[in-house]
Amino acid sequence: MLRILHQIFRTGVVTEALPAATETELIEVGERLERAIRRRFHHSLVIREVDAGSCNGCELEIIALNNPIYNCERFGLQFTASPRFADLLLVTGPVSVNMEIALKRTYDATPTPKLVVAVGDCGCHGGIFGESYASLGAVKNVIPVDAEIPGCPPTPVQLLHGILRVIA
Amino acid sequence: MTTLHAIIANNTLLAAERLTTAWPASIPVFRVETLCFEDTSRAMKRAGARLVAEWGVDETLMGRGLAVYAAFGREDEYLLLRVDLPLESPSFLSLTKLFVPAFRFERQILSLMGILPVGHVHSDLRPWIKHEDWPASAWPLRKSFPAGQRLERVAGDYPWVQVQGEGVYEIPVGPVHAGIIEPGHFRFQAMGEDIINLEERLGYTHKGIEKRFEGLTWQEGARLAARVSGDCTVGHALTYCRALETLAGITVPPRAAWLRAIMLERERIANHLGDIGAIANDAGFAFFFYQFMRLKEGVLRVNSQLFGHRLLMDRVVAGGVAVDLPKDGPAVIAAELDCLVPEFERLVAIYDRNTSLDDRLRGAGVLPADMAREIGAVGLVARASGQGLDCRLSHPFAPYDQIAPRLVTMNSCDVHARTWVRIEEVRDSVRLIRELLTTLPQGETLAPLPAIDADRSSMAVVEGWRGEIVYWLQSGLHGEINRVAIRDPSSVNWLGLEQAIHGNIVPDFPLCNKSFNQSYSGHDL
């Protein structure tokens, strides 16, 4: 236990130990995001992430939002296990034919008003996979999309920017 | 010990003919008659070989019919068998009775190529990858099937394995999971908390990757390979490029080979760090998750600073690497590792002395050594179950032929073993990167890719962070891509999860699953 406490205290708050350029951008995005969340979602925006056929690259960067360096919860951003608690769906693509029904059901299970953000080049326009017998391409081909965050994959800072764009 | 090659070549009864159009020369390919396919495979089984993969190929554009390949591996050898099949009602003798993983490979061949596995027992011909609402006669990997064709959904049923009895209930999970992870469906039959059976159904992320390759140039193929499994982008792109370079008969410049190895080891470190943290998190130890995610983020940032991409996507290209290490690169990496290692070791010491973590991780999700061998497990899953498999050692390429990795195996076969193998591999990858940096050659980082000869094939294997990645490429009549067959380590290791879960309780499933951390996308293609 002492070792754990020692490690926690010697690590400190790593969120402040970022390189200056990234830090400025991150804090700025974060504060704008926080204001928007406070105003429109009563301090908390609940996100349900849906992998609709991605290569898992976007998921890695979305998971990174939860690491202590980006620490998205300080801005009121929270990931939920159930679409029924969600305000926003963060959907990665391309939407595979085999995920089409599950994605539509997840969308239907999310209470209105709801927002949908398509993530990654594949979620925005199908990426290198395009449209084929197995891939329906962009998320907007399957459910209504409010905003898109391009990138292969988008970085955590780009993800925060994108989420801000849809709620600001 | 007789080599696999000699076993086939010296047995005249098998009437196997060695193909001269397949590279590299170290991986022989034999054509056998349809009737001899099973006997030849049995000879491989008796010799102690494992089934690496089976795949189908459509050669109608070359004026031939269809063919099925089976790849076998044993220690430092690989050997491929090929059986030629007619286009009309093609079938081949199933290897399911001999090799357990064959049933998944063969279901996939039937679903996507329409080639029927026949023989003594093939109890399971349910579609795999292709779901039950696809038309049964849609075989996307046939050349006659246009890649852009939209399929009608048809009514269909998937007969699940059933368990019946008083008190038995089912838990369906997925495809949309609770966490930020890939989609797949798991169906548990349980009694109380005890899991009686787990059945996986995958294919949800199938986006037609193998078919997509056939519409790309060889160079573009590297970009697609980099997106087969996003967390293993270096591993997949490198395996594809190595197979392509073998096909083209070129060798990459030494500096490029070294930089590729540095990236491959950095990818291993980043993923292992994330996994160790996530495994502890699934045991309720959030402290570790945040500590290890912090270390992982540091590695990704150095990737971005030196190579221009956090996950190193598209850095490995046909003929070499897309970016050279900047002048201060070696110093930056050395400083990064000097900072990472003591932090990492402090955390490992905490892991090692934490009794509650120990209690959850030890004895959970045991994949016994004989079962790991039986299902043909590879990579860290196999090594954690006592199998000494690492193709960086058994099938080395530059620079691993000069700077050898250390083989890490564990015998407890449980979640702890899979975690500890990762810990040891992080240590070893750090050592490898330090040695690679001190021996980093100067010079070019890219070799030109010549035109590819018509009707040739090649295979490459690379030990990605999950394990052995296999690519098999075939050129068509005009030297274009005719077929790219991919076998991600997850394709066999998914079978391991189903076996490891027996005797565990439902709440331990996420923990066991995380300790395997298989790729869905790499499996579904």
Side-chain angles (χ1 to χ4, degrees), chain B residues 62 70 163 205 259 281 309 338 343 349 354 367 371 376 496 501 524:
Chain B
M62 281 110 100
V163 178
T205 67
L259 290 175
N281 193 46
H309 195 285
D338 286 343
E343 291 277 353
N354 192 296
L367 178 66
M371 185 60 79
I501 208 68
D524 296 347

Side-chain angles (χ1 to χ4, degrees), chain B residues 162-181:
Chain B
Q162 303 272 320
V163 178
Q164 288 175 342
E166 196 181 332
V168 178
Y169 65 101
E170 268 195 354
I171 313 173
V173 181
V176 179
H177 293 157
I180 306 172
I181 56 167

Side-chain angles (χ1 to χ4, degrees), chain B residues 114-439:
Chain B
I115 304 176
L116 185 70
V118 293
H120 315 278
V121 272
H122 205 295
S123 52
D124 195 354
L125 291 175
R126 293 174 297 168
W128 188 247
I129 304 289
K130 171 161 124 176
H131 283 180
E132 69 276 11
D133 58 359
W134 294 38
S137 61
W139 300 312
L141 289 180
R142 291 270 187 107
K143 292 290 175 189
S144 54
F145 184 98
Q149 186 181 333
R150 281 289 159 88
L151 298 169
E152 291 291 308
R153 287 194 193 273
V154 299
D157 191 29
Y158 191 78
W160 294 90
V161 171
Q162 303 272 320
V163 178
Q164 288 175 342
E166 196 181 332
V168 178
Y169 65 101
E170 268 195 354
I171 313 173
V173 181
V176 179
H177 293 157
I180 306 172
I181 56 167
E182 298 181 81
H185 185 94
F186 301 110
R187 190 159 292 201
F188 301 92
Q189 277 93 21
M191 193 134 132
E193 285 207 314
D194 298 324
I195 298 169
I196 300 170
N197 189 51
L198 159 66
E199 189 178 4
E200 298 157 355
R201 196 175 65 150
L202 305 171
Y204 289 93
T205 67
H206 177 65
K207 34 198 177 281
I209 290 176
E210 289 182 319
K211 186 78 173 179
R212 184 77 187 97
F213 268 109
E214 294 169 19
L216 298 177
T217 65
W218 294 103
Q219 277 90 349
E220 287 167 342
R223 286 196 74 238
L224 184 56
R227 284 155 184 82
V228 167
S229 177
D231 52 24
C232 194
T233 175
V234 177
H236 272 274
L238 179 54
T239 322
Y240 170 83
C241 289
R242 283 195 50 75
L244 175 56
E245 288 146 11
T246 306
L247 200 60
I250 60 168
T251 313
V252 299
R255 188 173 175 85
W258 257 250
L259 290 175
R260 285 172 166 195
I262 290 172
M263 291 186 213
L264 190 66
E265 299 307 324
R266 292 188 66 83
E267 182 169 83
R268 197 181 314 277
I269 292 175
N271 281 291
H272 282 357
L273 289 175
D275 279 356
I276 298 165
I279 290 168
N281 193 46
D282 276 348
F285 199 33
F287 160 79
F288 252 26
F289 177 73
Y290 293 113
Q291 290 284 341
F292 276 101
M293 287 302 278
R294 177 175 68 90
L295 299 186
K296 179 181 179 180
E297 178 69 21
V299 176
L300 300 188
R301 286 187 173 192
V302 172
N303 283 348
S304 173
Q305 180 192 342
L306 297 179
F307 299 101
H309 195 285
R310 283 162 57 89
L311 307 180
L312 302 171
M313 262 179 191
D314 303 328
R315 308 299 109 167
V316 177
V317 293
V321 289
V323 283
D324 198 353
L325 198 60
K327 253 200 175 63
D328 65 339
V332 172
I333 295 177
E336 173 207 15
L337 296 180
D338 286 343
C339 178
L340 173 76
V341 170
E343 291 277 353
F344 178 74
E345 292 302 336
R346 251 194 301 275
L347 293 173
V348 171
I350 293 172
Y351 173 93
D352 213 17
R353 286 160 208 229
N354 192 296
T355 45
S356 54
L357 199 55
D358 198 74
D359 185 50
R360 288 293 304 280
L361 269 44
R362 283 185 201 264
V366 172
L367 178 66
D370 53 348
M371 185 60 79
R373 200 178 308 115
E374 196 65 28
I375 62 157
V378 295
L380 72 92
V381 169
R383 291 193 286 278
S385 289
Q387 311 298 304
L389 294 173
D390 186 334
C391 51
R392 289 177 298 173
L393 283 160
S394 61
H395 222 72
F397 52 87
Y400 293 110
D401 51 355
Q402 294 156 52
I403 302 170
R406 190 168 71 85
L407 184 66
V408 181
T409 56
M410 292 279 290
N411 291 315
S412 61
C413 313
D414 52 4
V415 174
H416 163 70
R418 289 185 285 276
T419 313
W420 198 261
V421 165
R422 285 174 166 100
I423 289 172
E424 292 286 357
E425 289 185 6
V426 168
R427 289 171 172 162
D428 196 50
S429 291
V430 167
R431 176 188 67 83
L432 286 173
I433 291 174
R434 283 185 170 142
E435 285 193 32
L436 289 165
L437 285 175
T438 54
T439 54

Side-chain angles (χ1 to χ4, degrees), chain A:
Chain A
M1 194 66 210
L2 277 178
R3 279 172 182 274
I4 296 174
L5 290 173
H6 183 245
Q7 177 67 15
I8 288 171
F9 285 117
R10 70 177 305 285
T11 306
V13 181
V14 288
T15 320
E16 293 179 350
L18 286 167
T22 321
E23 176 76 334
T24 324
E25 197 178 8
L26 182 68
I27 290 299
E28 189 213 340
V29 174
E31 282 174 357
R32 277 160 61 202
L33 194 57
E34 200 183 359
R35 279 197 298 276
I37 291 168
R38 200 178 294 150
R39 200 174 61 246
R40 301 190 48 166
F41 292 95
H42 296 279
H43 301 268
S44 160
L45 179 77
V46 181
I47 302 172
R48 169 68 243 197
E49 197 271 345
V50 185
D51 176 338
S54 125
C55 76
N56 200 29
C58 291
E59 277 64 32
L60 294 181
E61 295 297 55
I62 294 170
I63 292 169
L65 287 177
N66 283 311
N67 77 26
I69 291 160
Y70 298 105
N71 185 17
C72 67
E73 289 212 18
R74 67 185 147 147
F75 307 123
L77 289 180
Q78 194 197 340
F79 286 87
T80 176
S82 168
R84 297 198 188 278
F85 306 140
D87 304 310
L88 184 148
L89 293 180
L90 206 53
V91 187
T92 61
V95 182
S96 66
V97 167
N98 286 345
M99 273 303 286
E100 182 190 7
I101 295 169
L103 176 61
K104 283 180 175 163
R105 284 185 184 162
T106 307
Y107 180 79
D108 291 341
T110 310
T112 41
K114 55 191 160 195
L115 298 164
V116 177
V117 177
V119 173
D121 287 350
C122 301
C124 295
H125 56 78
I128 193 166
F129 306 102
E131 291 179 30
S132 70
Y133 74 94
S135 163
L136 300 170
V139 176
K140 62 173 177 269
N141 296 345
V142 180
I143 54 171
V145 168
D146 298 286
E148 294 180 331
I149 308 176
C152 192
T155 63
V157 173
Q158 288 169 333
L159 285 165
L160 285 174
H161 268 297
I163 295 168
L164 173 71
R165 208 168 56 233
V166 66
I167 62 171

